[in-house]
Amino acid sequence: MTHDTPKTMGQQFGRRSWAEPWKIKMVERLRMTTREERQRALSEAGFNTFLLRSDDVYIDLLTDSGTNAMSDEQWAGMMLGDEAYAGSRNFYHLEEALRKYYGYKYVVPTHQGRGAEHLISQVAIKAGQYVPGNMYFTTTRLHQELAGGIFVDVIVDHAHDPDSLHPFKGNIDVGKLEALIKRESAAQIAYVSLAGTVNMAGGQPVSMANVKELRALCDKHAIKLYLDATRMVENAFFIQEREEGYAKKPIADILKEFCGYTDGAWMSAKKDNLVNIGGWLAVNDWTLFEELRNLVVVYEGLHTYGGLAGRDMEAMAIGIAESVEDAHIRSRIGQVRYLGELLTDWGIPIVQPVGGHAIFLNAKAFYPQLKQIEFPAQTLAAELYLDSGIRSMERGIASAGRDAKTGDHYYPKLELTRLTIPRRVYTQAHMDVVAESVKAIFDMRGTTRGLKMIYEPKYLRFFQARFERLGA
Ligand SMILES: Cc1ncc(COP(=O)(O)O)c(C=O)c1O
């Protein structure tokens, strides 16, 4: 048998390889399943990957949320939990880390991101006000709407085009924002809701130039600018890589500079901050902080623990410092990119350029024979699971939900299946297995049938909806 000279990962793409800046000390064994077992599990789950048992999953790319592998130092930190009801020393460590790396003055811990979204939405939005943002995130928009806000998408048009190679597809279109302010008046804008790397657009970053411009516009009209900092460290990597003047700046400095242009931030620490649970809200304005600190007591817990154990806050404080190391973020995004490069080379339609935390398969292009109401992205997630036990998630019509006024489905331009890579969890060999499985279902795409929704919950339906195979 003849074969080509084997190549390392780097050589395949004409460069030197990178490797993870850590070694593995403990492993978690995985169960391999047969196709028949997966068929049964998927039917029981109503073709919704959120309803699968994790024991039935081989490689879990459902989310990068709370799925991080913590370091030995974070685990050691867990043993230093000060479980006092009030004034835990771990809260002060967290506060110190946030001031040092994100630069905000006042900190409110929350149990996770949506706890923080709830608080800021309740305090900063008056019923009927507009909340312009760079595309939406499911929980963020829902909390804004529950507080009486009207979300308006002001992201650049490139974000809606899965093939556009614009380097900062997460940017806000300042012209669209200005037009909204002109039309509705500045007093009618609750705040500008800016997310660092836009999840729903494929993990696309926001440039430093864009946040500076937004700051100037917000100052002109006395509007607040709040940041969803959930993946802001990953955003800083793209600024370092793509924006003039930042190539030599450490990630930590870029992060702090970016945050410095905003008035505050909320965070799902289950992503960038390298923990399994946690979140925070941080602002610079004392009066706002006082309100938030008061409200957190009602919904989360006292303002020095916000629904978290002391040990969780300690792990978070350590995770924040680890997350801004250049070697960490380079290997984290390098792994995502490796998977993206394989799929791109094989002609599989994915959102370009590859973002920070996930590969987004373009399900509309994958299954051109399916109408959007036949849930192409949900179908793709089901097929991938059946083929190899890999769990992904839908980011298309099911996630988009319905228009609260008309009751109609939203039909988002992007119909995507997300392969989300947990931080520090899987190896390159896992990525190879994923790529080959995607290729296998791509090769048989012509015979794939879509789905119909047979159960639809009222809120965030994609989590619990059930589906049936069409023509079954
Ligand atoms: C951009 C973004 N914001 C907010 C959240 C909500 O955070 P959590 O899941 O911790 O409530 C998420 C979670 O996926 C997210 O991706």
Side-chain angles (χ1 to χ4, degrees):
M1 195 177 96
T2 58
H3 61 83
D4 295 336
T5 310
K7 287 199 165 89
T8 66
M9 177 183 77
Q11 285 166 349
Q12 288 174 47
F13 299 104
R15 56 169 186 252
R16 291 289 292 268
S17 297
W18 54 264
E20 291 78 6
W22 38 259
K23 55 186 178 178
I24 298 167
K25 195 179 327 227
M26 189 194 286
V27 297
E28 182 180 336
R29 290 163 58 240
L30 298 173
R31 190 168 85 87
M32 315 289 279
T33 50
T34 62
R35 190 173 174 98
E36 288 66 43
E37 285 172 327
R38 293 195 291 276
Q39 193 92 52
R40 207 174 318 123
L42 192 65
S43 300
E44 277 170 20
F47 288 82
N48 185 344
T49 50
F50 276 102
L51 301 178
L52 288 167
R53 288 168 184 244
S54 135
D55 278 347
D56 293 328
V57 172
Y58 172 39
I59 300 175
D60 204 345
L61 306 185
L62 184 73
T63 174
D64 62 332
S65 182
T67 51
N68 299 307
M70 293 207 297
S71 68
D72 50 356
E73 289 186 31
Q74 285 178 289
W75 279 107
M78 299 283 281
M79 296 305 291
L80 301 177
D82 169 9
E83 307 306 345
Y85 187 89
S88 159
R89 88 174 73 88
N90 312 116
F91 166 73
Y92 296 102
H93 293 168
L94 174 64
E95 190 183 54
E96 212 178 295
L98 284 173
R99 284 182 177 156
K100 179 169 173 189
Y101 294 109
Y102 288 81
Y104 300 111
K105 284 191 194 146
Y106 310 116
V107 174
V108 178
T110 60
H111 79 283
Q112 61 181 80
R114 68 199 73 180
E117 287 169 346
H118 174 219
L119 299 180
I120 190 80
S121 304
Q122 290 298 323
V123 168
I125 300 172
K126 288 194 204 88
Q129 277 187 320
Y130 292 87
V131 189
N134 50 346
M135 210 172 256
Y136 74 101
F137 183 71
T138 52
T139 56
T140 318
R141 186 179 69 187
L142 181 59
H143 279 297
Q144 290 165 350
E145 288 173 350
L146 288 173
I150 304 160
F151 175 79
V152 185
D153 184 7
V154 288
I155 201 165
V156 291
D157 288 339
H158 289 282
H160 296 284
D161 174 2
D163 300 317
S164 160
L165 291 177
H166 191 284
F168 291 103
K169 285 165 83 171
N171 280 354
I172 282 186
D173 182 327
V174 176
K176 284 186 197 170
L177 179 57
E178 266 184 312
L180 179 76
I181 299 170
K182 205 163 161 201
R183 196 181 75 222
E184 302 296 341
S185 87
Q188 271 304 96
I189 310 293
Y191 56 87
V192 174
S193 176
L194 179 70
T197 82
V198 180
N199 193 353
M200 303 297 278
Q204 303 296 333
V206 178
S207 69
M208 194 71 87
N210 192 238
V211 74
K212 277 191 207 174
E213 228 184 316
L214 292 171
R215 177 73 273 161
L217 186 68
C218 287
D219 281 347
K220 187 169 145 199
H221 295 284
I223 295 171
K224 298 287 184 203
L225 174 58
Y226 295 127
L227 177 68
D228 181 340
T230 296
R231 296 185 185 83
M232 194 52 226
V233 182
E234 291 170 1
N235 198 113
F237 173 85
F238 290 110
I239 291 176
Q240 189 189 55
E241 185 182 66
R242 299 177 185 170
E243 204 161 349
E244 215 186 312
Y246 289 93
K248 294 213 163 60
K249 288 217 167 125
I251 290 296
D253 292 4
I254 299 172
L255 174 69
K256 202 161 177 183
E257 181 185 335
F258 194 105
C259 294
Y261 296 117
T262 66
D263 295 298
W266 66 88
M267 177 76 180
S268 170
K270 301 166 74 175
K271 282 82 164 176
D272 266 0
N273 288 173
L274 298 171
V275 289
N276 303 124
I277 191 72
W280 47 261
L281 191 53
V283 295
N284 290 326
D285 180 87
W286 173 261
T287 315
L288 176 66
F289 170 64
E290 273 198 318
E291 265 187 83
L292 293 166
R293 185 171 68 159
N294 189 216
L295 205 62
V296 75
V297 181
V298 182
Y299 293 106
E300 305 274 317
L302 192 72
H303 59 276
T304 54
Y305 77 85
L308 295 168
R311 54 182 173 271
D312 298 327
M313 291 189 284
E314 190 63 28
M316 209 191 315
I318 298 168
I320 287 168
E322 290 179 3
S323 74
V324 298
E325 284 171 8
D326 285 52
H328 157 73
I329 200 71
R330 180 162 173 258
S331 92
R332 191 279 184 283
I333 293 181
Q335 187 178 45
V336 177
R337 207 168 262 183
Y338 170 63
L339 178 57
E341 282 170 328
L342 283 180
L343 298 176
T344 305
D345 260 26
W346 298 346
I348 293 166
I350 64 171
V351 172
Q352 302 284 0
V354 171
H357 67 299
I359 301 298
F360 290 73
L361 301 169
N362 180 356
K364 273 190 192 167
F366 212 96
Y367 295 130
Q369 74 272 28
L370 300 187
K371 295 192 210 92
Q372 196 164 12
I373 196 59
E374 295 173 350
F375 301 95
Q378 191 81 33
T379 303
L380 210 167
E383 290 301 317
L384 191 60
Y385 174 73
L386 278 180
D387 182 70
S388 54
I390 292 165
R391 172 154 68 172
S392 56
M393 78 143 91
E394 194 261 11
R395 277 291 176 237
I397 183 168
S399 293
R402 289 179 187 269
D403 184 313
K405 263 201 206 127
T406 65
D408 293 340
H409 295 282
Y410 286 118
Y411 284 86
K413 278 201 188 133
L414 298 179
E415 177 72 25
L416 309 173
T417 304
R418 191 179 83 176
L419 307 172
T420 337
I421 318 296
R423 296 167 189 80
R424 310 194 289 202
V425 172
Y426 291 115
T427 66
Q428 188 181 320
H430 287 114
M431 295 303 113
D432 287 340
V433 169
V434 173
E436 287 176 20
S437 182
V438 173
K439 175 85 168 68
I441 61 164
F442 187 62
D443 288 345
M444 50 166 247
R445 63 194 181 281
T447 55
T448 306
R449 280 175 286 127
L451 298 170
K452 97 170 169 226
M453 201 190 294
I454 53 168
Y455 166 66
E456 180 178 356
K458 191 165 162 207
Y459 300 113
L460 302 174
R461 64 184 186 181
F462 61 96
F463 281 129
Q464 291 152 341
R466 298 183 73 82
F467 302 83
E468 221 169 57
R469 177 100 61 198
L470 279 171

